[in-house]
Amino acid sequence: MPAKPPPNASARASTNAVPVVVVVLALVLGALAAATVWLDVANSATAIPPGTGLEAGWVGALAGLAQLVPGLLLLWRLPRHPIAWVLVGSGAAWVVDSFCASWTAYAVYTRPGLPGASATFYVYQRLGAALLLGLPVLLLLFPDGRLPRARGWRRASVASIALTALLPVVLAFVPSHVAEEVTDSALPAPLAALDIDPFSVPLPDAVWRVLLSVAFVGAWVSMLVPVAVVVRRYRRSVGERRAQLRWLVWAAGVDLVLLVAGWLSDDPVSGILLAASVGVTSAAVVVAVTRHRLYDIDRLLPATFVYAVLALLVVAVDALVFAAAGAVLGQRDSALVAIGIVAAVYGPLRDRVSTLVRRLFRGSRDDPYAVVSALAERLEVSSDPSDQLLAVARSVAEAFRSPFVRVEIEQASGETLHVEHGTPSRSPLVLPVVYRGEDIGRLLLEPAGAPACPTATSACSATWCARPRPPPGPAS
């Protein structure tokens, strides 16, 4: 009787096969990206008509590698994590799609008559819409690789993915004359001569028009659910999960700046900025999933926000100066005036924006005068001891952006007076309240973004965990 394999043998075998898969994918897709660049160089000497839609493939290949490399690194470390496979699959699709565009241009216009043009053009034109699937799937699975647990949200997520996938499915089978009619575009003769309808299904044209119109609208509408899922997760998250989602927020902010800059730029700068935005998002996802230096986001997010706002304000100042002085002064003099104004306002502007951002992310703890002043104003209008303690709790919560503060004071009668501000979600930091060397109470503070302790009473080494208060010592 043959011996049974160990229970974890198949899992170990699949894990051991992952490095081989990673190396093979890296070599094959890297070679495909290199071939795409070579084809683009060869096509650069050919006059390709602008209406073909056959753009240089290196932009998409670069964006694909920006997803593929972080995805392969994540796959090497966490071979069973769904997000690793989403990044790898999306990156591979971008690389293949870009190669197909470059090969079609090469085989039709640069070296007419080469084989494979019909197949690559079909993949590029009909299946390229599948590239839209990567982002919504990533948002729905981030950060733990699972869809939302709530039944309604899970069903909405599945429906969203299906609606996004509808466009590439319809484009794969719709007759080309219907697609040209709906999009109001016609293929040039060299491309129309290819076999562009290998899998078209002979349904009535009216049915195809409806399906194609719904698919185009659905591809954009379906993004509402993934964004709503991320917002819901962020609002309900605490501790480590909140830090992971803050990496995604940081990437979205950086992407917005890069995409706006790319929109205002010409090729090849716009393509490089697009690939950079994809790479930033992929890198942020890898950091969040692996939890590598996870809480660095608490410093990175405010700093990025500050310099993004400063960059936009500097651009706005330049534009206003050129608009106001351009008609009176020459271009050179206007540039000098703009440089002088920016140099004069940059320092004060940076300090002002930095202060506002620190208060937004960290509260007013860096401005002790503002904290004391706000507390004094509240105490002036409070006469009842409970109201005064509540004023203290609110001031502490605002200063530290804490979701929960509890103040406990032991009265002379032996009773304990306590007030709470906010709702607790995990073990708070416990601080003694000392008056003239004696403990008269304690302050329970839950710092924003701190991870939860294993239990409410355990002693942890991190400063945000609950710690047992030492017995009162002699008055000093």
Side-chain angles (χ1 to χ4, degrees):
M1 182 176 180
K4 294 183 178 179
N8 295 327
S10 59
R12 286 197 299 269
S14 61
T15 302
N16 294 334
V18 167
V20 178
V21 173
V22 170
V23 172
V24 171
L25 286 175
L27 291 176
V28 172
L29 295 173
L32 210 58
T36 302
V37 175
W38 183 88
L39 291 171
D40 288 341
V41 173
N43 293 333
S44 62
T46 305
I48 299 177
T52 62
L54 297 174
E55 302 175 353
W58 70 268
V59 175
L62 193 59
L65 293 177
Q67 302 171 74
L68 188 63
V69 172
L72 290 175
L73 293 175
L74 185 60
L75 188 64
W76 188 289
R77 180 169 179 178
L78 300 173
R80 295 189 177 186
H81 204 293
I83 289 182
W85 290 102
V86 171
L87 286 175
V88 170
S90 179
W94 277 77
V95 172
V96 171
D97 181 81
S98 303
F99 171 80
C100 289
S102 297
W103 178 260
T104 302
Y106 185 77
V108 173
Y109 292 99
T110 303
R111 296 282 302 276
L114 289 179
S118 296
T120 55
F121 186 62
Y122 175 81
V123 173
Y124 173 71
Q125 189 194 42
R126 298 300 186 91
L127 305 183
L131 302 181
L132 299 174
L133 272 169
L135 181 59
V137 173
L138 183 66
L139 294 179
L140 290 171
L141 296 179
F142 185 82
D144 56 4
R146 298 184 179 91
L147 292 175
R149 294 182 180 178
R151 182 177 300 178
W153 284 98
R154 180 178 289 270
R155 290 177 177 175
S157 300
V158 173
S160 173
I161 296 174
L163 194 58
T164 307
L166 179 63
L167 182 57
V169 171
V170 172
L171 287 176
F173 302 105
V174 63
S176 58
H177 70 275
V178 178
E180 293 177 7
E181 178 185 345
V182 173
T183 59
D184 193 21
S185 61
L187 291 175
L191 294 178
L194 299 174
D195 183 12
I196 53 179
D197 287 321
F199 304 111
S200 61
V201 177
L203 295 176
D205 288 357
V207 175
W208 279 121
R209 281 193 291 270
V210 171
L211 287 175
L212 199 56
S213 300
V214 172
F216 275 121
V217 175
W220 296 103
V221 174
S222 62
M223 281 299 299
L224 297 177
V225 174
V227 172
V229 167
V230 172
V231 172
R232 179 176 179 269
R233 281 174 170 165
Y234 187 84
R235 295 183 62 182
R236 296 167 63 92
S237 64
V238 294
E240 190 175 82
R241 178 62 62 87
R242 172 66 64 92
Q244 289 177 302
L245 290 167
R246 282 163 71 89
W247 275 100
L248 195 62
V249 172
W250 171 79
V254 174
D255 290 347
L256 179 62
V257 175
L258 293 176
L259 292 176
V260 170
W263 179 63
L264 298 175
S265 306
D266 298 325
D267 292 332
V269 176
S270 60
I272 295 174
L273 292 176
L274 171 63
S277 66
V278 174
V280 165
T281 303
S282 302
V285 168
V286 171
V287 171
V289 171
T290 59
R291 300 178 177 89
H292 176 66
R293 304 191 67 173
L294 185 62
Y295 287 95
D296 283 357
I297 190 62
D298 292 334
R299 294 188 298 270
L300 183 61
L301 186 58
T304 304
F305 191 84
V306 167
Y307 286 103
V309 171
L310 284 174
L312 293 176
L313 291 177
V314 167
V315 171
V317 169
D318 280 341
L320 290 175
V321 170
F322 274 102
V328 180
L329 305 174
Q331 184 176 3
R332 178 176 176 276
D333 293 335
S334 298
L336 292 175
V337 171
I339 292 173
I341 292 178
V342 168
V345 304
Y346 181 80
L349 196 60
R350 181 190 59 191
D351 294 339
R352 187 69 176 174
V353 173
S354 298
T355 300
L356 292 175
V357 171
R358 280 199 304 268
R359 289 186 178 181
L360 176 65
F361 287 94
R362 293 172 52 86
S364 56
R365 73 186 81 173
D366 294 329
D367 189 355
Y369 178 80
V371 176
V372 174
S373 177
L375 176 58
E377 291 179 1
R378 287 173 175 166
L379 292 177
E380 285 181 0
V381 297
S382 304
S383 57
D384 185 74
S386 297
D387 293 338
Q388 292 178 341
L389 286 183
L390 186 58
V392 172
R394 288 176 177 172
S395 298
V396 172
E398 292 174 0
F400 289 87
R401 294 193 63 82
S402 174
F404 173 72
V405 174
R406 176 185 173 97
V407 182
E408 300 176 356
I409 298 296
E410 299 175 3
Q411 297 180 310
S413 61
E415 297 180 353
T416 301
L417 181 63
H418 68 274
V419 295
E420 291 183 357
H421 177 75
T423 303
S425 59
R426 55 197 180 280
S427 300
L429 170 67
V430 181
L431 300 172
V433 177
V434 182
Y435 178 70
R436 292 185 178 180
E438 280 189 40
D439 285 4
I440 62 170
R442 61 178 188 165
L443 174 69
L444 288 78
L445 172 68
E446 185 178 307
C453 283
T455 62
T457 58
S458 64
C460 303
S461 59
T463 57
W464 51 70
C465 293
R467 293 173 293 184
R469 185 176 59 180
S476 56

